[in-house]
Amino acid sequence: MIIILDAMGGDNAPLEVIKGAAMAASEYDVSLRLVGPTDVIKECAEENGIYLDESKIEIIDAPDVITMEDPPLSVRKKKNSSMTVSLNLLAGGGGDAMVSAGNTGALYAGASLIVMRIKGFRKAAIATVFPFKNPTLLLDSGANTVVSPENLCQFALMGSVYMEKVLEIDRPRVGLLNNGTEANKGTELLVETHALLSRYERINFVGNVEARAVPFGACDVLVTDGFTGNIFLKLTEGLGEMLFKRIKAMYKKNFLSMLSAAVIKKEFKAMKKEFDASEYGGAPILGISKPVIKTHGSSDALEIKNAVRQAVNYVKSGVTLELAESIGAAVPSIEVVHESEETEPLIEYADDPATDETDDGGNEQSI
Amino acid sequence: MIIILDAMGGDNAPLEVIKGAAMAASEYDVSLRLVGPTDVIKECAEENGIYLDESKIEIIDAPDVITMEDPPLSVRKKKNSSMTVSLNLLAGGGGDAMVSAGNTGALYAGASLIVMRIKGFRKAAIATVFPFKNPTLLLDSGANTVVSPENLCQFALMGSVYMEKVLEIDRPRVGLLNNGTEANKGTELLVETHALLSRYERINFVGNVEARAVPFGACDVLVTDGFTGNIFLKLTEGLGEMLFKRIKAMYKKNFLSMLSAAVIKKEFKAMKKEFDASEYGGAPILGISKPVIKTHGSSDALEIKNAVRQAVNYVKSGVTLELAESIGAAVPSIEVVHESEETEPLIEYADDPATDETDDGGNEQSI
C-alpha cells in the first residue's frame, strides 16, 4: 500500500512530516511518497539525522508550497505545490491515500476538484472524532456553511459508514445537532432533515441531540452544517485550552499543590484528551473517491505517523466502496451537474461554500 | 422598589423561591410580590419555618401553573398562571421588575406579548453572561432561531448598553460569532451584519470572533442568532459538567489523590464557575420595556436571592431608558407592525420563531 504525504503541509513542515514519515516507514508495512521540494526534504533529513529508507520512502519533487493563508482555489493555481501534486498523484492512482497537515480550505477544495467525490454524493464533509464518553464523529466540521436536508442525510450516511468500518462501532447512533430534542425544533432545514432521517432505513437515527448531551455520549455520529460544526469544534478546543492553562497555573501556586499535581498528573493527561480531537488521528474528508486525511496544522511527527496508520486502516476498511454502494439506498438522488473548472459559481464556491447550495464544486466519479 | 417573583417557576418551586424571597427581603431594601397559589405558598412557608415578613412580602394569588413542558403560548392561554399574572402585574405597573425560574419559551413569549418590547426593537433577546477571562455577554442565547442583520445589530446595541450600565464596562467590545475572523466569512447574513456593525457608531465592534477565542476574552458582547447561541450555551454547560464529574471521580481514586484534592479544592471551585453562566445571576430578556429576568430552572434560594439583587441593579441602571434613547441612532428602523393577538403568524411564531423573520410577535411601546 502507498500513502502519499504532503511534506510541506502544516506549521511544523517539513521537519515533523519527514520525521513522521521515517517513523511510519519503520513501524508499518507501507510505502510512502513524500511530496515536496526534493532538495529541501533531503537537506532537512540530513541536518536532523533522519534516515529516509529509499526502499520504502520515495521523494516526489514539488517545488511550490500552498501557505495557510492561501485561498482554497490556490490548489488549482499553484499546480506545482506539494498539495496539488499530492492530490494529482492520488487521483492518478499513484497512491492509495493521502495525508496533509496543510491549508484545510485548499485541501477540501482540491479533494473535491482533483480527486473528486464518489458518484451520488453532492458535497464532501470534513469529519472530526471527539474522544468524549464514546468516540463521537462530528460532520461537517467546517467545509459547507450552507447545506440542504439531502446533504445532511448524506453526511449521516458517510459518518455511519466511517464509524462502522474504521472504528468498528455496530449500528452507530446518528444524532442531529439541534436546540431541542423535539422533532419540530430548530430551523426549517432541521425540521425537514429530521423527517428525512426518520425515514432513512440505512441510518440508526436517534433524533435531535442537544449540545449539552454530546459530551455524555448521546450519539456516535453528530450531524450538522459546517458553520455550526465549526463553532462546536472550536468552542470545545477553546474551552479545553483555557481549562488546562488554568489547571497548570493552579498547580504552580505552592509546594503542596505541586505535590498534588504529581499525584494526579496521569489522570489529567487522560482527561485533557477528551477535549483533543486529534486523539483519533486526523480528520477524513468523507465523500471523496479516495481517502484524504487532514491532520492538525500543528501536527508533530507522532501525529503524522498516526495519520499514516489511520490512512492505512481507512484504505483497508473499504469505507469508500461501501459508501459508493450505500448511496443508492439513500434519499432520492439528484442528477449530478458536472461543472467545468472555469465556471463562476465553482470558483466562487471554493472561496465561500455559502454561494453554492447544491453542489460543492467538485466533480464525481464512479469507483 | 417592587420586584415581582414567580413563586411557581423552576424545578425547586415553590420552596426555594419562597426561601429566596425571604432572604432577599431581609437583606435588601426592596419590596417583593410573590405570585402563586396563596394557600400553597403559605403552607410551604409554614411547613419549612420560613418567615414571610408581611411588611415587605405581599402574596398575589394565582391558582394556575405553567409547567416546563407547556408551549410558549400557554402564557396567554393560562391566564391565571403565576407567570401570566406576574407579567400582567409588571405590565400594569404593579412592580418595577420581574424574576422567574420557569418555562423559558413561555417567559420570552409573555415578556414580548404582555410587557411588550421597547419601541424600535424588532425582537427581544435572551442574554447570558459567561464568567470567562472577562464577563462575556452572549445574545441571543436561544429565543430567535431566525434573525436578520438588523436584529443582530439591535442585539449588539442591547448587549452593549447592558454591559455598560449593569456590569459597568466602558465601551464594551462587541464581537460577531463566526467561523473565521475575515469580514467575508460565514453566511450571507453574517457578511451583511459585519458590514452594518462596522458602520454602527454607537457600537465598539471588534469584528468576527471565532468560538476558540471567546473563553480567552476576545470580546465583552458576543452577538449571534438564537440557534447558534443555544449550541454555544449548552455545549459550554455540557463540557463543564462532564469535566467536573471526571475531576470528582479522579479524586476519589485513592487516599493521596483525596489529599491533593483537599489542597486545591478552592481553586477548582473558582475554575468551575468559569463554565457556570449563573455566576452573574439570571438571564435578562433584553429589548423588553421593563426588566424581566430568567433564572436557571434549577435555581436554589441563593440564586433566587441573587436574581432579586440583579433585578434591583437592572432597574437602577436605567438600561431600558438608555435603550429607548439609543435605538434612534441605530440601523434604519422599520415601521412597526402591531399584530392582533389572534393572527396566525403570531401564534405560529411563539411556538417557532423560525416562522416569523421580521417581528418576534410581541407589541412595542414607548417608555
Side-chain angles (χ1 to χ4, degrees):
Chain A
M1 189 183 301
I2 301 172
I3 307 298
I4 300 163
L5 262 174
D6 172 5
M8 305 307 286
D11 313 332
N12 307 319
L15 176 58
E16 293 298 319
V17 182
I18 297 173
K19 264 194 207 162
M23 287 160 69
S26 66
E27 286 187 40
Y28 311 134
D29 175 25
V30 63
S31 297
L32 297 168
R33 287 192 153 158
L34 206 47
V35 183
T38 310
D39 49 344
V40 174
I41 293 175
K42 286 189 163 161
E43 215 170 275
C44 177
E46 226 162 82
E47 282 175 357
N48 298 278
I50 304 166
Y51 169 61
L52 295 178
D53 178 351
E54 288 181 358
S55 73
K56 300 191 78 179
I57 303 175
E58 179 187 359
I59 297 173
I60 307 285
D61 190 54
D64 205 355
V65 174
I66 288 177
T67 70
M68 290 304 206
E69 291 66 37
D70 282 329
L73 274 202
S74 56
V75 77
R76 198 189 285 132
K77 290 171 191 135
K78 292 188 170 180
K79 297 208 180 296
N80 297 321
S81 64
S82 59
M83 187 183 285
T84 307
V85 171
S86 300
L87 288 161
N88 281 308
L89 202 58
L90 180 65
D96 301 290
M98 172 191 166
V99 171
S100 174
N103 184 317
T104 307
L107 186 63
Y108 176 81
S112 301
L113 296 167
I114 298 169
V115 187
M116 300 199 284
R117 278 173 284 113
I118 299 163
K119 190 163 181 53
F121 284 93
R122 308 283 297 154
K123 286 181 190 284
I126 300 175
T128 313
V129 180
F130 288 90
F132 290 144
K133 188 156 177 292
N134 48 260
T136 306
L137 184 89
L138 169 79
L139 77 172
D140 179 10
S141 302
N144 306 286
T145 312
V146 175
V147 296
S148 68
E150 187 203 12
N151 295 145
L152 291 174
C153 287
Q154 294 195 339
F155 293 173
L157 176 63
M158 296 172 189
S160 298
V161 171
Y162 187 84
M163 292 304 265
E164 287 163 10
K165 297 276 182 180
V166 179
L167 274 80
E168 292 171 342
I169 290 164
D170 186 40
R171 305 252 319 132
R173 297 160 301 143
V174 174
L176 183 62
L177 183 59
N178 208 333
N179 60 357
T181 53
E182 304 86 342
N184 65 348
K185 280 286 181 178
T187 56
E188 267 175 60
L189 168 77
L190 291 170
V191 174
E192 279 177 47
T193 305
H194 187 287
L196 284 175
L197 284 172
S198 307
R199 297 200 310 266
Y200 194 169
E201 295 204 342
R202 174 69 174 79
I203 303 298
N204 179 16
F205 184 51
V206 295
N208 290 330
V209 169
E210 287 195 272
R212 186 191 280 110
V214 178
F216 293 96
C219 58
D220 305 301
V221 176
L222 184 63
V223 172
T224 187
D225 64 86
F227 178 83
T228 312
N230 182 272
I231 302 293
F232 190 102
L233 172 68
K234 289 180 177 168
L235 181 58
T236 305
E237 288 179 358
L239 288 172
E241 280 174 42
M242 175 194 79
L243 194 87
F244 292 102
K245 272 186 185 160
R246 290 289 313 276
I247 288 178
K248 263 192 180 161
M250 208 166 79
Y251 279 121
K252 290 205 175 102
K253 275 184 106 175
N254 59 50
F255 177 72
L256 256 178
S257 60
M258 279 179 72
L259 210 68
S260 51
V263 175
I264 41 83
K265 197 171 180 191
K266 227 174 76 238
E267 281 88 344
F268 266 131
K269 279 209 168 144
M271 206 167 57
K272 196 171 188 305
K273 290 182 174 173
E274 295 208 4
F275 284 79
D276 183 2
S278 70
E279 241 331 271
Y280 280 84
I285 301 179
L286 296 177
I288 300 298
S289 57
K290 288 180 179 178
V292 176
I293 291 175
K294 166 68 171 75
T295 60
H296 214 281
S298 61
S299 292
D300 58 14
L302 187 67
E303 279 170 273
I304 296 290
K305 189 200 79 175
N306 290 337
V308 170
R309 192 189 58 219
Q310 180 186 13
V312 170
N313 295 337
Y314 191 163
V315 174
K316 285 182 180 165
S317 71
V319 163
T320 323
L321 194 61
E322 172 67 24
L323 281 176
E325 286 165 356
S326 310
I327 191 64
V331 286
S333 74
I334 296 167
E335 260 309 295
V336 174
V337 189
H338 279 269
E339 286 162 332
S340 99
E341 290 213 355
E342 300 324 312
T343 53
E344 258 324 291
L346 175 55
I347 287 171
E348 272 175 33
Y349 157 69
D351 285 307
D352 169 17
T355 58
D356 177 356
E357 303 194 14
T358 62
D359 188 308
D360 76 353
N363 298 322
E364 302 172 348
Q365 68 174 19
S366 311
I367 58 171
Chain B
M1 187 184 301
I2 301 171
I3 306 299
I4 300 163
L5 262 175
D6 172 5
M8 305 307 286
D11 313 331
N12 307 319
L15 177 57
E16 293 297 319
V17 183
I18 297 172
K19 264 193 205 163
M23 288 161 69
S26 66
E27 285 186 41
Y28 311 134
D29 174 26
V30 64
S31 298
L32 296 169
R33 288 191 152 159
L34 205 48
V35 183
T38 310
D39 50 345
V40 174
I41 294 175
K42 285 190 164 159
E43 214 169 276
C44 176
E46 226 162 81
E47 282 175 358
N48 298 276
I50 305 167
Y51 169 61
L52 296 178
D53 177 351
E54 286 181 358
S55 73
K56 300 191 78 180
I57 302 175
E58 180 188 359
I59 298 173
I60 306 285
D61 190 54
D64 204 356
V65 174
I66 288 176
T67 69
M68 291 305 206
E69 290 67 39
D70 282 330
L73 274 202
S74 58
V75 77
R76 198 191 284 132
K77 288 170 194 137
K78 292 186 169 180
K79 297 208 182 296
N80 296 321
S81 64
S82 60
M83 187 184 284
T84 306
V85 171
S86 300
L87 288 162
N88 280 309
L89 203 58
L90 181 65
D96 301 291
M98 170 191 168
V99 171
S100 174
N103 183 317
T104 308
L107 186 63
Y108 176 82
S112 301
L113 295 167
I114 297 168
V115 186
M116 301 198 282
R117 277 172 285 113
I118 300 163
K119 191 163 182 53
F121 284 93
R122 307 285 295 154
K123 286 181 189 284
I126 299 174
T128 314
V129 180
F130 289 91
F132 290 144
K133 186 157 179 290
N134 48 259
T136 306
L137 184 90
L138 169 79
L139 77 173
D140 180 11
S141 303
N144 306 286
T145 312
V146 175
V147 296
S148 68
E150 188 204 11
N151 295 144
L152 291 175
C153 288
Q154 295 195 338
F155 293 172
L157 176 63
M158 296 171 187
S160 298
V161 171
Y162 187 85
M163 293 303 265
E164 286 164 10
K165 297 276 183 182
V166 180
L167 274 79
E168 292 172 341
I169 290 165
D170 187 40
R171 304 253 319 133
R173 298 160 300 144
V174 174
L176 183 62
L177 183 59
N178 208 333
N179 60 357
T181 54
E182 304 86 344
N184 65 347
K185 281 288 181 175
T187 57
E188 267 176 59
L189 167 77
L190 290 171
V191 174
E192 278 176 47
T193 306
H194 187 286
L196 284 174
L197 284 172
S198 306
R199 297 199 310 267
Y200 195 170
E201 294 203 346
R202 174 68 175 78
I203 302 298
N204 178 17
F205 183 51
V206 295
N208 290 330
V209 170
E210 288 195 90
R212 186 190 280 112
V214 178
F216 293 96
C219 58
D220 305 301
V221 176
L222 184 63
V223 172
T224 188
D225 63 87
F227 178 82
T228 312
N230 183 271
I231 302 295
F232 190 101
L233 172 68
K234 289 178 177 168
L235 181 58
T236 306
E237 288 179 358
L239 289 172
E241 280 174 42
M242 174 194 79
L243 196 86
F244 292 102
K245 273 187 182 156
R246 291 288 313 276
I247 289 178
K248 264 191 179 161
M250 206 167 81
Y251 279 121
K252 291 204 175 103
K253 275 185 105 174
N254 59 50
F255 177 72
L256 254 180
S257 61
M258 279 180 73
L259 209 69
S260 52
V263 175
I264 41 82
K265 195 171 181 195
K266 228 175 77 236
E267 281 88 346
F268 265 132
K269 279 210 167 143
M271 207 167 56
K272 196 171 186 308
K273 290 181 174 174
E274 295 209 1
F275 284 80
D276 182 2
S278 72
E279 244 326 276
Y280 280 84
I285 301 179
L286 297 177
I288 300 299
S289 58
K290 288 179 180 179
V292 176
I293 291 175
K294 165 69 171 75
T295 60
H296 214 281
S298 61
S299 292
D300 58 14
L302 187 67
E303 278 170 274
I304 296 291
K305 188 199 80 176
N306 290 337
V308 170
R309 192 189 58 219
Q310 180 187 13
V312 170
N313 296 337
Y314 191 164
V315 174
K316 285 183 179 165
S317 71
V319 164
T320 322
L321 193 62
E322 172 66 23
L323 281 177
E325 286 165 356
S326 311
I327 191 65
V331 286
S333 73
I334 295 168
E335 260 308 294
V336 175
V337 189
H338 280 268
E339 286 162 332
S340 98
E341 288 211 357
E342 300 324 317
T343 51
E344 259 322 294
L346 176 54
I347 287 168
E348 271 175 32
Y349 156 69
D351 286 309
D352 171 16
T355 58
D356 177 357
E357 303 195 14
T358 63
D359 188 306
D360 76 355
N363 298 321
E364 303 172 346
Q365 68 174 20
S366 311
I367 59 171

